[in-house]
Amino acid sequence: MPGRTKRKSPLKAPDRPYLALGLEGSANKLGAGIIKHAEDGSATVLSNIRHTYITPPGEGFQPRDTALHHREWALKVIDDCLKQANVSMHDMDCICFTKGPGMGAPLQSVALVARTLSLLYDKPLVGVNHCVGHIEMGREITGAQNPVVLYVSGGNTQVIAYSRQCYRIFGETLDIAVGNCLDRFARVINLSNDPSPGYNIEQEAKKGKRLLPIPYATKGMDISLSGILTSIEAYTFDKRYRPEGVADSSEDDIITPADLCFSLQETVFAMLVEITERAMAHIGSKEVLIVGGVGCNERLQEMMGIMAAERHGQIFATDERFCIDNGIMIAQAGLLGFRMGYSTPLTKSTCTQRFRTDQVHVTWRT
Ligand SMILES: *[C@@H]1O[C@H](CO)[C@@H](O)[C@H](O)[C@H]1NC(C)=O
Ligand SMILES: *[C@@H]1O[C@H](CO)[C@@H](O)[C@H](O)[C@H]1NC(C)=O
């Protein structure tokens, strides 16, 4: 569904609309999206198509198979994206692709598609930082002006705030990402990966009745999750654990998969709320924006909302169209940079698995 938003922009208004194609494939979602920036500065999502590589229960996605998925689906997804937007490749001002961070082989397979389109249609390329894509799309959709950003996904856990042409990282995970922790636990208890392991943990957690003790590991502005994963996994070997849930209601000392999902979510989300609140207090912001795949989790949004309300602030979040990896966020961040004169020469259009949010020079904000 196309969305239309209007916001004051430091960018000079264009004398004609700009169109950008964005391609994303840093993990198991392949996305293509087209965004339009009109003469009055407003952005319109013309199309946003995604295809997800879903593995069987108990299995994660491997780089090689994921890259194969992206190669198989690239033409169909881009074709659908152009059709839905009712535009042709010739209309594009630039082709934006994810430069990183992410998994090497999937990133490269999508960058190759971007390079090919760039040569075929003689269009400039714009390499985009995936995390900055999430932040810019979140700001555009929600209208949040200068929020503290909590970026939570399968590969990333960061608390970010803008300062002087840079998205600075205030806090982050010291080991694994939140999404990775949830996904790996979903595999342990054999939850389905369809539509996503995190979504299924969230549904399971709603049935949970017991808050089991697991470590609470915030360290200053940072958090640690690998010990928590080990600790919650250990409960599946407890003799009170019932993998099939509650078999006999007369037993009141049993532990169900739902209890484990509930305990994991409550503990980890409380840690995220704590470090986000500390960043808000530090920079004096009353806005918090949650982006990334785990940002769809309604319990996380609820807990963050309570904290924000207590500080007389506000929480901003997007739905699954925009918080889960997508092509439109790459188009949005890429076009903001392109309008400031930034593009990526063909010879520099490589990908990089490690590409920190604070390495990007944010020219388009004042
Ligand atoms: C698609 O765009 C063309 C012009 O570019 C226009 O004539 C046509 O009506 C559009 N189709 C739809 C379904 O909007
Ligand atoms: C996991 O679930 C699938 C079906 O959802 C089932 O076929 C498989 O046997 C289960 N594996 C374990 C270890 O429970």
Side-chain angles (χ1 to χ4, degrees):
M1 204 180 77
R4 192 177 169 84
T5 54
K6 210 171 169 180
R7 184 166 51 81
K8 253 201 258 142
S9 164
L11 299 171
K12 206 172 139 289
D15 49 11
R16 60 177 178 81
Y18 280 108
L19 284 183
L21 170 70
L23 300 176
E24 153 66 26
S26 62
N28 69 332
K29 285 106 192 160
L30 174 68
I34 294 170
I35 202 149
K36 179 168 98 175
H37 286 186
E39 291 91 329
D40 65 0
S42 64
T44 308
V45 175
L46 298 187
S47 61
N48 186 15
I49 308 285
R50 177 167 55 213
H51 195 274
T52 305
Y53 172 51
I54 294 174
T55 48
E59 282 179 35
F61 49 91
Q62 300 300 322
R64 192 174 161 275
D65 302 329
T66 310
L68 193 64
H69 165 268
H70 292 358
R71 283 201 292 273
E72 278 174 4
W73 282 88
L75 290 184
K76 165 116 182 76
V77 165
I78 294 169
D79 201 36
D80 287 355
C81 173
L82 290 165
K83 279 202 189 106
Q84 193 181 89
N86 191 25
V87 292
S88 101
M89 275 308 298
H90 297 285
D91 303 324
M92 296 303 137
D93 287 283
C94 57
I95 296 167
C96 313
F97 70 99
T98 309
K99 187 170 178 63
M103 296 169 97
L107 278 171
Q108 279 161 21
S109 64
V110 176
L112 181 65
V113 174
R115 275 195 290 274
T116 308
L117 290 174
S118 163
L119 289 170
L120 271 176
Y121 294 93
D122 194 23
K123 301 289 179 189
L125 280 170
V126 183
V128 174
N129 178 291
H130 179 89
C131 316
V132 172
H134 272 296
I135 297 170
E136 291 306 340
M137 202 61 216
R139 289 178 62 232
E140 179 60 45
I141 292 294
T142 63
Q145 290 296 314
N146 187 28
V148 166
V149 181
L150 175 67
Y151 172 31
V152 272
S153 69
N156 296 276
T157 306
Q158 294 177 340
V159 177
I160 302 158
Y162 173 81
S163 162
R164 291 186 292 163
Q165 264 50 71
C166 181
Y167 284 116
R168 289 175 206 279
I169 301 169
F170 277 71
E172 60 193 317
T173 178
L174 297 171
D175 39 51
I176 58 173
V178 175
N180 191 240
C181 177
L182 296 172
D183 291 359
R184 279 160 69 172
F185 185 62
R187 259 176 260 154
V188 169
I189 57 170
N190 202 15
L191 283 182
S192 164
N193 290 326
D194 187 12
S196 73
Y199 177 83
N200 292 322
I201 291 225
E202 183 181 355
Q203 304 318 310
E204 207 45 39
K206 288 178 184 165
K207 297 180 273 170
K209 293 194 177 69
R210 299 180 64 172
L211 184 63
L212 296 155
I214 47 174
Y216 182 94
T218 58
K219 311 199 171 173
M221 295 300 295
D222 298 324
I223 64 171
S224 164
L225 293 164
S226 62
I228 290 179
L229 181 61
T230 309
S231 159
I232 196 85
E233 276 186 45
Y235 278 108
T236 64
F237 300 108
D238 194 297
K239 61 181 186 311
R240 294 167 295 168
Y241 180 62
R242 300 288 181 275
E244 304 309 327
V246 188
D248 177 0
S249 56
S250 67
E251 290 181 281
D252 56 0
D253 194 32
I254 60 165
I255 296 170
T256 64
D259 293 334
L260 297 184
C261 292
F262 173 70
S263 305
L264 182 61
Q265 277 200 172
E266 293 299 302
T267 307
V268 169
F269 293 171
M271 288 160 48
L272 293 173
V273 170
E274 183 192 324
I275 61 168
T276 307
E277 179 169 26
R278 201 167 293 143
M280 287 169 82
H282 183 79
I283 68 160
S285 170
K286 288 196 183 302
E287 294 179 334
V288 51
L289 170 66
I290 309 184
V291 299
V294 182
C296 294
N297 189 300
E298 288 176 1
R299 179 57 185 151
L300 174 60
Q301 292 180 9
E302 183 184 21
M303 290 170 72
M304 198 63 77
I306 294 167
M307 178 274 284
E310 283 171 356
R311 300 185 63 82
H312 307 289
Q314 204 183 346
I315 170 186
F316 297 88
T318 58
D319 63 32
E320 57 83 31
R321 288 172 300 168
F322 303 109
C323 69
I324 296 177
D325 291 350
N326 61 81
I328 200 74
M329 69 187 209
I330 301 302
Q332 169 67 4
L335 187 51
L336 288 172
F338 181 74
R339 287 174 55 188
M340 298 300 291
Y342 178 80
S343 66
T344 305
L346 196 65
T347 50
K348 297 246 168 74
S349 64
T350 49
C351 297
T352 165
Q353 279 173 263
R354 305 214 179 282
F355 184 7
R356 281 173 69 82
T357 316
D358 52 12
Q359 282 176 285
V360 177
H361 184 51
V362 181
T363 49
W364 53 90
R365 284 189 66 170
T366 46

